[in-house]
Amino acid sequence: MTPTIDRSTNPSLDGKRVLITGASRGIGADIAQTFAAAGARLVLSGRDHESLESFSRTLDTETAIVVADLSTAAGPDTLAADAVDAFGGVDVLVNNAGISYPEPVDALDTAHFDEVIQVNLRAPSLLAARIGRAMADGDGGSIVTVASAAALRPLPEHYAYCTSKAGLIMATKVLALELGGRGVRANSVCPTVVLTDMGQKVWGDPVKSAPMLARIPSGRFAEPSEVSATALWLASDASAMINGIDIPVDGGYLVS
Ligand code: NDP
């Protein structure tokens, strides 16, 4: 059974300025809803202004929209600068945008490999460095990276994806080490499968999902709200002494 998460009992982000990448749908949109309910002001980012605009109208909080393509060379630095400008600073960064092109190693497509590394590793690492520096120069802050259980255990047909997410976890740890003394915390959330657009694309076929489900002791995939609840805790002062860790949200997959 999947429990319902009561957003009213969650830690507060009252007035916090939060940048969420990949906020248009899936896990990022759920994090936006959860953080809005916790009182945060949101900078929503993605590639499509129209979908971000219509989504922002459903949120009961102050929002700003910054369109950015994180696969481009300048995308991360430009987004960092624009997001800081939106509300005069960023207190929380949620590095969530990500992509996947499942394909076997012996059919690896170079363009796919490069794009996955750009969006899943280069962009969030640069963004965290730039926003982290701004946080350290200001009142500090919390960086929450949506990595994956695939960073901690190899998955077939996920060569670029596993590599990108494992690298991102290490980037997050270095950030925690360097900026921890200046009031910045950086941690990762590592979900198992979540049936978003990406989850459906990769795991929608029962032939693929059944063996994966069989390896999860809880017997089900994760819900977006379960990733959001962990992200909220890491973003908030409730986790003030937590720095440089990666938390599986995986129903025990990594111990099976
Ligand atoms: P979705 O495919 O549902 O959403 C992906 C989001 O990333 C969209 O908002 C999309 O925005 C944005 N995005 C994609 N490419 C770019 C780009 N080039 N520039 C800027 N934004 C981009 O994915 P999920 O919600 O499932 O995934 C969210 C995160 O969670 C990812 O990092 C993923 O790796 C991770 N994750 C997902 C799991 C799953 O099973 N779903 C499991 C473990 C981790 P738009 O297209 O509008 O630009």
Side-chain angles (χ1 to χ4, degrees), residues 39-92:
R41 292 180 282 165
L42 304 177
V43 181
L44 306 171
S45 188
R47 288 169 299 181
D48 179 26
H49 190 275
E50 205 175 311
S51 61
L52 290 167
E53 179 76 42
S54 63
F55 174 57
S56 74
R57 283 196 289 271
T58 68
L59 298 172
D60 185 18
T61 189
E62 193 180 351
T63 57
I65 290 166
V66 179
V67 171
D69 184 344
L70 295 175
S71 69
T72 62
D77 281 356
T78 306
L79 172 56
D82 290 349
V84 168
D85 282 351
F87 292 130
V90 171
D91 303 300
V92 175

Short mmCIF file of all heavy atoms in Angstrom, two decimals, residues 39-92:
data_model
loop_
_atom_site.label_atom_id
_atom_site.label_comp_id
_atom_site.label_asym_id
_atom_site.label_seq_id
_atom_site.Cartn_x
_atom_site.Cartn_y
_atom_site.Cartn_z
N GLY A 39 5.50 26.89 1.72
CA GLY A 39 5.69 28.34 1.83
C GLY A 39 6.82 28.92 1.02
O GLY A 39 7.14 30.11 1.16
N ALA A 40 7.44 28.12 0.14
CA ALA A 40 8.58 28.62 -0.64
C ALA A 40 8.11 29.49 -1.80
O ALA A 40 7.01 29.33 -2.31
CB ALA A 40 9.39 27.44 -1.17
N ARG A 41 8.99 30.41 -2.21
CA ARG A 41 8.82 31.13 -3.48
C ARG A 41 9.66 30.40 -4.52
O ARG A 41 10.81 30.03 -4.22
CB ARG A 41 9.30 32.58 -3.34
CG ARG A 41 8.42 33.39 -2.41
CD ARG A 41 8.95 34.81 -2.30
NE ARG A 41 10.09 34.88 -1.41
CZ ARG A 41 10.94 35.92 -1.35
NH1 ARG A 41 10.77 36.96 -2.14
NH2 ARG A 41 11.94 35.92 -0.50
N LEU A 42 9.13 30.24 -5.72
CA LEU A 42 9.76 29.31 -6.66
C LEU A 42 10.22 29.96 -7.95
O LEU A 42 9.46 30.70 -8.59
CB LEU A 42 8.76 28.19 -7.02
CG LEU A 42 8.19 27.39 -5.85
CD1 LEU A 42 7.17 26.37 -6.36
CD2 LEU A 42 9.30 26.69 -5.06
N VAL A 43 11.45 29.65 -8.34
CA VAL A 43 11.91 29.90 -9.70
C VAL A 43 11.80 28.57 -10.43
O VAL A 43 12.49 27.61 -10.10
CB VAL A 43 13.37 30.41 -9.74
CG1 VAL A 43 13.80 30.68 -11.18
CG2 VAL A 43 13.53 31.66 -8.89
N LEU A 44 10.89 28.52 -11.41
CA LEU A 44 10.63 27.27 -12.14
C LEU A 44 11.41 27.31 -13.45
O LEU A 44 11.30 28.27 -14.21
CB LEU A 44 9.14 27.15 -12.44
CG LEU A 44 8.20 27.26 -11.23
CD1 LEU A 44 6.74 27.35 -11.69
CD2 LEU A 44 8.38 26.06 -10.30
N SER A 45 12.16 26.24 -13.72
CA SER A 45 12.95 26.22 -14.95
C SER A 45 12.71 24.95 -15.76
O SER A 45 12.42 23.89 -15.22
CB SER A 45 14.44 26.36 -14.63
OG SER A 45 15.17 26.52 -15.83
N GLY A 46 12.81 25.11 -17.07
CA GLY A 46 12.67 24.04 -18.05
C GLY A 46 12.88 24.67 -19.41
O GLY A 46 13.27 25.83 -19.50
N ARG A 47 12.58 23.91 -20.48
CA ARG A 47 12.81 24.47 -21.82
C ARG A 47 11.57 25.11 -22.41
O ARG A 47 11.67 25.85 -23.38
CB ARG A 47 13.30 23.36 -22.77
CG ARG A 47 14.71 22.90 -22.51
CD ARG A 47 15.01 21.65 -23.28
NE ARG A 47 14.12 20.56 -22.88
CZ ARG A 47 14.15 19.34 -23.35
NH1 ARG A 47 15.03 19.03 -24.27
NH2 ARG A 47 13.32 18.41 -22.92
N ASP A 48 10.40 24.79 -21.85
CA ASP A 48 9.15 25.20 -22.50
C ASP A 48 8.40 26.22 -21.64
O ASP A 48 7.80 25.86 -20.62
CB ASP A 48 8.30 23.95 -22.75
CG ASP A 48 6.98 24.29 -23.40
OD1 ASP A 48 6.91 25.33 -24.09
OD2 ASP A 48 6.01 23.53 -23.21
N HIS A 49 8.43 27.48 -22.08
CA HIS A 49 7.81 28.55 -21.28
C HIS A 49 6.33 28.31 -21.06
O HIS A 49 5.82 28.51 -19.95
CB HIS A 49 8.04 29.91 -21.96
CG HIS A 49 7.65 31.06 -21.08
ND1 HIS A 49 6.36 31.54 -21.00
CD2 HIS A 49 8.38 31.80 -20.21
CE1 HIS A 49 6.31 32.53 -20.13
NE2 HIS A 49 7.53 32.71 -19.63
N GLU A 50 5.64 27.86 -22.11
CA GLU A 50 4.19 27.72 -22.02
C GLU A 50 3.78 26.70 -20.93
O GLU A 50 2.88 26.97 -20.13
CB GLU A 50 3.64 27.28 -23.38
CG GLU A 50 2.20 27.67 -23.59
CD GLU A 50 1.76 27.31 -25.01
OE1 GLU A 50 2.48 27.65 -25.96
OE2 GLU A 50 0.71 26.65 -25.12
N SER A 51 4.46 25.56 -20.90
CA SER A 51 4.07 24.55 -19.90
C SER A 51 4.43 25.02 -18.49
O SER A 51 3.68 24.78 -17.53
CB SER A 51 4.69 23.18 -20.20
OG SER A 51 6.08 23.25 -20.19
N LEU A 52 5.54 25.74 -18.35
CA LEU A 52 5.90 26.26 -17.03
C LEU A 52 4.90 27.32 -16.59
O LEU A 52 4.50 27.39 -15.42
CB LEU A 52 7.31 26.88 -17.07
CG LEU A 52 8.47 25.87 -17.22
CD1 LEU A 52 9.76 26.59 -17.58
CD2 LEU A 52 8.65 25.05 -15.95
N GLU A 53 4.47 28.16 -17.55
CA GLU A 53 3.52 29.23 -17.26
C GLU A 53 2.18 28.65 -16.79
O GLU A 53 1.63 29.07 -15.77
CB GLU A 53 3.33 30.07 -18.54
CG GLU A 53 2.34 31.22 -18.43
CD GLU A 53 2.93 32.38 -17.68
OE1 GLU A 53 4.11 32.70 -17.90
OE2 GLU A 53 2.20 32.96 -16.86
N SER A 54 1.66 27.66 -17.53
CA SER A 54 0.34 27.12 -17.14
C SER A 54 0.47 26.34 -15.83
O SER A 54 -0.42 26.40 -14.98
CB SER A 54 -0.28 26.27 -18.25
OG SER A 54 0.52 25.16 -18.50
N PHE A 55 1.60 25.66 -15.61
CA PHE A 55 1.78 24.96 -14.33
C PHE A 55 1.88 25.96 -13.18
O PHE A 55 1.28 25.75 -12.11
CB PHE A 55 3.04 24.09 -14.39
CG PHE A 55 3.39 23.43 -13.09
CD1 PHE A 55 2.49 22.60 -12.44
CD2 PHE A 55 4.64 23.64 -12.50
CE1 PHE A 55 2.80 22.00 -11.23
CE2 PHE A 55 4.96 23.04 -11.29
CZ PHE A 55 4.04 22.22 -10.65
N SER A 56 2.58 27.07 -13.40
CA SER A 56 2.78 28.03 -12.30
C SER A 56 1.45 28.62 -11.82
O SER A 56 1.30 28.95 -10.65
CB SER A 56 3.73 29.15 -12.73
OG SER A 56 3.08 30.03 -13.61
N ARG A 57 0.46 28.68 -12.75
CA ARG A 57 -0.84 29.23 -12.37
C ARG A 57 -1.59 28.31 -11.40
O ARG A 57 -2.53 28.73 -10.74
CB ARG A 57 -1.70 29.49 -13.62
CG ARG A 57 -1.26 30.76 -14.37
CD ARG A 57 -2.33 31.22 -15.35
NE ARG A 57 -2.46 30.33 -16.49
CZ ARG A 57 -1.76 30.45 -17.63
NH1 ARG A 57 -0.92 31.45 -17.78
NH2 ARG A 57 -1.93 29.59 -18.61
N THR A 58 -1.18 27.05 -11.31
CA THR A 58 -1.85 26.11 -10.39
C THR A 58 -1.23 26.18 -8.98
O THR A 58 -1.72 25.53 -8.06
CB THR A 58 -1.73 24.65 -10.89
OG1 THR A 58 -0.35 24.23 -10.79
CG2 THR A 58 -2.19 24.52 -12.32
N LEU A 59 -0.13 26.93 -8.84
CA LEU A 59 0.59 26.95 -7.56
C LEU A 59 0.17 28.18 -6.74
O LEU A 59 0.11 29.29 -7.28
CB LEU A 59 2.10 26.99 -7.80
CG LEU A 59 2.70 25.79 -8.54
CD1 LEU A 59 4.16 26.05 -8.89
CD2 LEU A 59 2.56 24.52 -7.71
N ASP A 60 -0.04 27.96 -5.45
CA ASP A 60 -0.48 29.05 -4.59
C ASP A 60 0.75 29.69 -3.91
O ASP A 60 0.91 29.62 -2.69
CB ASP A 60 -1.45 28.49 -3.54
CG ASP A 60 -2.05 29.60 -2.69
OD1 ASP A 60 -1.99 30.77 -3.12
OD2 ASP A 60 -2.55 29.29 -1.59
N THR A 61 1.63 30.27 -4.74
CA THR A 61 2.79 30.98 -4.19
C THR A 61 3.36 31.88 -5.27
O THR A 61 2.95 31.82 -6.44
CB THR A 61 3.87 29.99 -3.71
OG1 THR A 61 4.88 30.72 -3.00
CG2 THR A 61 4.54 29.26 -4.87
N GLU A 62 4.32 32.74 -4.87
CA GLU A 62 4.97 33.62 -5.84
C GLU A 62 5.92 32.78 -6.71
O GLU A 62 6.72 32.00 -6.18
CB GLU A 62 5.76 34.68 -5.07
CG GLU A 62 6.23 35.84 -5.90
CD GLU A 62 7.02 36.85 -5.05
OE1 GLU A 62 7.04 36.71 -3.81
OE2 GLU A 62 7.61 37.75 -5.65
N THR A 63 5.86 32.97 -8.02
CA THR A 63 6.73 32.20 -8.91
C THR A 63 7.41 33.11 -9.93
O THR A 63 6.89 34.18 -10.26
CB THR A 63 5.95 31.12 -9.70
OG1 THR A 63 4.91 31.76 -10.44
CG2 THR A 63 5.37 30.06 -8.81
N ALA A 64 8.56 32.67 -10.41
CA ALA A 64 9.22 33.28 -11.57
C ALA A 64 9.59 32.14 -12.50
O ALA A 64 9.82 31.01 -12.04
CB ALA A 64 10.46 34.04 -11.12
N ILE A 65 9.61 32.43 -13.80
CA ILE A 65 9.95 31.39 -14.77
C ILE A 65 11.23 31.77 -15.48
O ILE A 65 11.37 32.91 -15.94
CB ILE A 65 8.80 31.22 -15.78
CG1 ILE A 65 7.60 30.59 -15.07
CG2 ILE A 65 9.22 30.37 -16.97
CD1 ILE A 65 6.32 30.67 -15.85
N VAL A 66 12.18 30.84 -15.54
CA VAL A 66 13.41 31.07 -16.30
C VAL A 66 13.57 29.89 -17.26
O VAL A 66 13.79 28.75 -16.82
CB VAL A 66 14.64 31.19 -15.38
CG1 VAL A 66 15.89 31.40 -16.24
CG2 VAL A 66 14.49 32.34 -14.39
N VAL A 67 13.46 30.17 -18.55
CA VAL A 67 13.62 29.13 -19.56
C VAL A 67 15.11 28.90 -19.80
O VAL A 67 15.88 29.87 -19.93
CB VAL A 67 12.90 29.54 -20.87
CG1 VAL A 67 13.25 28.58 -22.00
CG2 VAL A 67 11.39 29.57 -20.65
N ALA A 68 15.53 27.64 -19.79
CA ALA A 68 16.94 27.33 -20.04
C ALA A 68 17.06 25.93 -20.63
O ALA A 68 16.38 25.02 -20.16
CB ALA A 68 17.74 27.40 -18.74
N ASP A 69 17.90 25.79 -21.64
CA ASP A 69 18.22 24.46 -22.16
C ASP A 69 19.55 24.02 -21.56
O ASP A 69 20.61 24.56 -21.90
CB ASP A 69 18.30 24.49 -23.69
CG ASP A 69 18.52 23.10 -24.28
OD1 ASP A 69 18.91 22.18 -23.53
OD2 ASP A 69 18.32 22.93 -25.50
N LEU A 70 19.48 23.05 -20.67
CA LEU A 70 20.68 22.64 -19.92
C LEU A 70 21.63 21.76 -20.73
O LEU A 70 22.69 21.39 -20.23
CB LEU A 70 20.26 21.95 -18.62
CG LEU A 70 19.53 22.88 -17.63
CD1 LEU A 70 19.04 22.11 -16.42
CD2 LEU A 70 20.42 24.04 -17.20
N SER A 71 21.26 21.47 -21.98
CA SER A 71 22.21 20.73 -22.83
C SER A 71 23.16 21.67 -23.56
O SER A 71 24.08 21.22 -24.23
CB SER A 71 21.44 19.87 -23.84
OG SER A 71 20.81 20.68 -24.81
N THR A 72 22.94 22.97 -23.43
CA THR A 72 23.78 23.93 -24.16
C THR A 72 24.97 24.36 -23.30
O THR A 72 24.93 24.27 -22.07
CB THR A 72 22.97 25.19 -24.54
OG1 THR A 72 22.53 25.83 -23.33
CG2 THR A 72 21.77 24.83 -25.39
N ALA A 73 26.00 24.87 -23.97
CA ALA A 73 27.23 25.26 -23.26
C ALA A 73 26.96 26.36 -22.23
O ALA A 73 27.45 26.32 -21.11
CB ALA A 73 28.28 25.72 -24.26
N ALA A 74 26.15 27.35 -22.62
CA ALA A 74 25.94 28.52 -21.74
C ALA A 74 24.76 28.34 -20.80
O ALA A 74 24.59 29.14 -19.87
CB ALA A 74 25.73 29.76 -22.60
N GLY A 75 23.92 27.32 -21.03
CA GLY A 75 22.67 27.16 -20.29
C GLY A 75 22.81 27.23 -18.77
O GLY A 75 22.11 28.02 -18.12
N PRO A 76 23.70 26.44 -18.16
CA PRO A 76 23.78 26.43 -16.69
C PRO A 76 24.20 27.77 -16.09
O PRO A 76 23.59 28.24 -15.12
CB PRO A 76 24.83 25.35 -16.40
CG PRO A 76 24.88 24.50 -17.63
CD PRO A 76 24.54 25.38 -18.77
N ASP A 77 25.22 28.42 -16.67
CA ASP A 77 25.68 29.70 -16.11
C ASP A 77 24.62 30.79 -16.27
O ASP A 77 24.40 31.60 -15.35
CB ASP A 77 26.98 30.14 -16.79
CG ASP A 77 28.20 29.38 -16.24
OD1 ASP A 77 28.02 28.59 -15.29
OD2 ASP A 77 29.31 29.59 -16.75
N THR A 78 23.95 30.80 -17.43
CA THR A 78 22.92 31.81 -17.65
C THR A 78 21.76 31.59 -16.69
O THR A 78 21.23 32.54 -16.10
CB THR A 78 22.41 31.72 -19.12
OG1 THR A 78 23.54 31.82 -19.97
CG2 THR A 78 21.43 32.83 -19.44
N LEU A 79 21.35 30.32 -16.51
CA LEU A 79 20.26 30.02 -15.57
C LEU A 79 20.64 30.45 -14.16
O LEU A 79 19.82 31.04 -13.44
CB LEU A 79 19.91 28.53 -15.62
CG LEU A 79 18.92 28.03 -14.56
CD1 LEU A 79 17.60 28.81 -14.60
CD2 LEU A 79 18.65 26.53 -14.72
N ALA A 80 21.86 30.15 -13.74
CA ALA A 80 22.29 30.51 -12.38
C ALA A 80 22.15 32.02 -12.17
O ALA A 80 21.58 32.47 -11.17
CB ALA A 80 23.73 30.06 -12.14
N ALA A 81 22.63 32.81 -13.13
CA ALA A 81 22.57 34.26 -12.99
C ALA A 81 21.13 34.76 -12.99
O ALA A 81 20.74 35.59 -12.15
CB ALA A 81 23.36 34.91 -14.13
N ASP A 82 20.31 34.23 -13.90
CA ASP A 82 18.91 34.68 -13.99
C ASP A 82 18.11 34.28 -12.75
O ASP A 82 17.23 35.02 -12.30
CB ASP A 82 18.24 34.08 -15.23
CG ASP A 82 18.78 34.69 -16.53
OD1 ASP A 82 19.50 35.71 -16.45
OD2 ASP A 82 18.50 34.13 -17.60
N ALA A 83 18.41 33.11 -12.20
CA ALA A 83 17.66 32.65 -11.02
C ALA A 83 18.01 33.49 -9.80
O ALA A 83 17.14 33.83 -9.00
CB ALA A 83 17.98 31.17 -10.74
N VAL A 84 19.28 33.86 -9.66
CA VAL A 84 19.67 34.72 -8.54
C VAL A 84 19.00 36.09 -8.68
O VAL A 84 18.51 36.68 -7.70
CB VAL A 84 21.22 34.86 -8.47
CG1 VAL A 84 21.63 35.97 -7.51
CG2 VAL A 84 21.85 33.52 -8.04
N ASP A 85 18.90 36.58 -9.92
CA ASP A 85 18.26 37.88 -10.17
C ASP A 85 16.76 37.86 -9.85
O ASP A 85 16.20 38.87 -9.43
CB ASP A 85 18.41 38.29 -11.65
CG ASP A 85 19.80 38.84 -11.92
OD1 ASP A 85 20.54 39.05 -10.94
OD2 ASP A 85 20.15 39.01 -13.10
N ALA A 86 16.12 36.73 -10.07
CA ALA A 86 14.64 36.67 -9.99
C ALA A 86 14.12 37.15 -8.64
O ALA A 86 13.19 37.95 -8.58
CB ALA A 86 14.16 35.25 -10.28
N PHE A 87 14.71 36.67 -7.53
CA PHE A 87 14.23 37.08 -6.20
C PHE A 87 15.36 37.67 -5.35
O PHE A 87 15.28 37.72 -4.14
CB PHE A 87 13.63 35.88 -5.44
CG PHE A 87 12.34 35.36 -6.02
CD1 PHE A 87 12.17 34.01 -6.28
CD2 PHE A 87 11.27 36.22 -6.29
CE1 PHE A 87 10.97 33.52 -6.81
CE2 PHE A 87 10.07 35.75 -6.81
CZ PHE A 87 9.93 34.40 -7.07
N GLY A 88 16.48 38.07 -6.01
CA GLY A 88 17.59 38.67 -5.27
C GLY A 88 18.41 37.67 -4.48
O GLY A 88 19.08 38.02 -3.51
N GLY A 89 18.40 36.41 -4.89
CA GLY A 89 19.19 35.36 -4.22
C GLY A 89 18.46 34.03 -4.30
O GLY A 89 17.27 33.99 -4.64
N VAL A 90 19.20 32.95 -4.03
CA VAL A 90 18.59 31.61 -4.01
C VAL A 90 18.97 30.96 -2.67
O VAL A 90 20.15 30.91 -2.32
CB VAL A 90 19.10 30.75 -5.19
CG1 VAL A 90 18.64 29.30 -5.05
CG2 VAL A 90 18.62 31.32 -6.53
N ASP A 91 17.98 30.47 -1.93
CA ASP A 91 18.24 29.78 -0.66
C ASP A 91 18.32 28.27 -0.84
O ASP A 91 18.99 27.60 -0.06
CB ASP A 91 17.11 30.09 0.35
CG ASP A 91 16.94 31.59 0.58
OD1 ASP A 91 17.92 32.22 1.02
OD2 ASP A 91 15.86 32.12 0.28
N VAL A 92 17.60 27.77 -1.84
CA VAL A 92 17.57 26.32 -2.09
C VAL A 92 17.65 26.08 -3.59
O VAL A 92 16.91 26.71 -4.36
CB VAL A 92 16.27 25.68 -1.54
CG1 VAL A 92 16.21 24.19 -1.90
CG2 VAL A 92 16.15 25.87 -0.04
#
